[in-house]
């Protein structure tokens, strides 16, 4: 990186005042963004997908840390001139697509090949972050096209993602994430690190997909039983599973779970087994 001006100057030059409608809270401290960019490890062979680069603080950091290429999707067209300066400063290793990340087919945008080492790194608006995380966890083909996700969340959501059974934070997001891989909180980020500061603290989750816990379970079945079980998390399973189209008593018996147990105390492996038993029971009905 040669002559890029400080981010505050970029924001003034291009009049990039943060807009609430785009969920904009910018990271302007390059030491912090470089630390984030180092979380996934060596990026020299990686194609990085960044959602919501904004004025480009994290984008610069990813390029400075040696990312082979960065593809970014940004919804706010006001940011494009600033990002084009970043691209020029880094030998065009950055490509920016204007659009809504929720609608993007990433393998096409990133021009991925089977051998590509693709990483997702992003400081996202909170609402979009959870939707995208779920989208990336529920891809039909598994292993997925990416090797890791490094994503900023509200701290409370980050804690839900990594929560263990038996805790208050354990829920749908924990089961889904821990079924599909390994998640950890890689860094806590105080509200004061952002411009403007959000109301709550944030944390970065690093997630790496793993082999499926069990090849035979169907995502739709797992989502269904988990949704019902946690829909009324204070109730015992024999009551909370009533909304399913099978008898909760038969299902729990087959899955070897106590009818008086609550969702909070069911492990990820037990949920996977429950989903399999649900499918079997339905097919015999
Ligand atoms: N990455 C920058 C940083 O760390 O300073 C900006 C972070 S800001 C929290 C989120 C960025 O995501 C904004 O630039 C916003 O315009 C963009 N954004 C919001 N919703 C989006 C969406 N659905 N698709 C793509 N970008 C989006």
């Amino acid at each position: 990186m040669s002559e890029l001006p400080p981010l505050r100057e970029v924001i003034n030059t291009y009049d990039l005042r943060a807009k609430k409608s785009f969920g904009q809270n910018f990271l302007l401290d390059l030491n912090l963004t470089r630390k984030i960019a180092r979380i996934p490890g060596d990026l020299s062979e990686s194609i990085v997908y960044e959602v919501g680069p904004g004025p480009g603080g994290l984008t610069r950091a990813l390029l400075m840390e040696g990312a082979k290429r960065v593809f970014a999707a940004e919804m706010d067209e006001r940011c494009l001139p600033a990002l084009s300066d970043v691209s020029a400063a880094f030998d065009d290793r950055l490509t920016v697509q204007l659009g809504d990340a929720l609608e993007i087919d990433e393998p096409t945008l990133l021009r991925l090949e089977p051998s590509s080492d693709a990483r997702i790194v992003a400081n996202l608006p909170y609402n979009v972050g959870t939707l995208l995380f779920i989208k990336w966890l529920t891809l039909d083909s598994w292993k997925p096209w990416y090797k890791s996700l490094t994503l900023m969340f509200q701290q409370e959501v980050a804690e839900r993602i990594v929560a263990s059974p038996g805790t208050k934070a354990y829920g749908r997001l924990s089961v889904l994430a821990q079924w599909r891989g390994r998640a950890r909180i890689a860094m806590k980020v105080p509200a004061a690190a952002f411009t403007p500061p959000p109301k709550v603290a944030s944390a970065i989750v690093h997630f790496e997909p793993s082999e499926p816990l069990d090849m035979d379970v169907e995502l739709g079945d797992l989502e269904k039983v988990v949704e019902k079980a946690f829909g009324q998390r204070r109730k015992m399973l024999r009551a909370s599973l009533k909304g399913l189209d099978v008898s909760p008593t038969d299902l729990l018996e087959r899955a070897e779970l106590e009818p008086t147990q609550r969702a909070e105390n069911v492990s990820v492996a037990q949920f996977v087994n429950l989903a399999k038993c649900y499918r079997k029971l339905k097919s015999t009905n």
Side-chain angles (χ1 to χ4, degrees), residues 91-106:
D91 303 324
D92 295 328
R93 278 151 60 209
L94 168 67
T95 305
V96 182
Q97 167 82 39
L98 180 66
D100 182 346
L102 289 165
E103 320 247 295
I104 282 174
D105 176 55
E106 297 92 353

Side-chain angles (χ1 to χ4, degrees), residues 158-261:
E159 279 164 5
R160 283 202 267 138
I161 293 168
V162 304
S164 312
T167 63
K168 276 211 177 108
Y170 184 65
R172 288 170 66 182
L173 214 44
S174 338
V175 175
L176 198 56
Q178 295 170 37
W179 171 54
R180 290 238 124 153
R182 284 178 307 274
R184 66 181 168 90
I185 292 184
M187 193 191 289
K188 291 190 177 168
V189 187
F194 297 86
T195 306
K199 290 204 175 71
V200 292
S202 302
I204 295 177
V205 171
H206 183 71
F207 170 87
E208 291 184 1
S210 56
E211 295 290 343
L213 204 57
D214 190 320
M215 296 295 277
D216 292 339
V217 71
E218 302 238 350
L219 170 66
D221 294 333
L222 183 66
E223 286 186 306
K224 208 163 173 180
V225 296
V226 169
E227 186 198 326
K228 288 287 176 226
F230 284 107
Q232 297 169 296
R233 60 185 294 142
R234 280 159 193 269
K235 290 201 171 166
M236 296 175 188
L237 290 175
R238 67 173 175 222
S240 59
L241 296 180
K242 262 191 188 147
L244 291 174
D245 44 358
V246 297
S247 143
T249 319
D250 293 351
L251 176 59
L252 291 165
E253 192 181 306
R254 194 180 265 252
E256 295 179 14
L257 287 170
E258 290 297 327
T260 53
Q261 209 168 320

Side-chain angles (χ1 to χ4, degrees), residues 22-28 33 50-58 73-76 79 99-102 123-125 128:
F22 285 120
Q24 291 175 334
N25 302 93
F26 301 134
L27 293 173
L28 306 183
T33 49
E50 188 195 0
V51 178
L58 182 54
E74 173 56 62
M75 225 175 164
D76 181 358
C79 300
D100 182 346
L102 289 165
N123 170 24
L124 301 162
V128 182

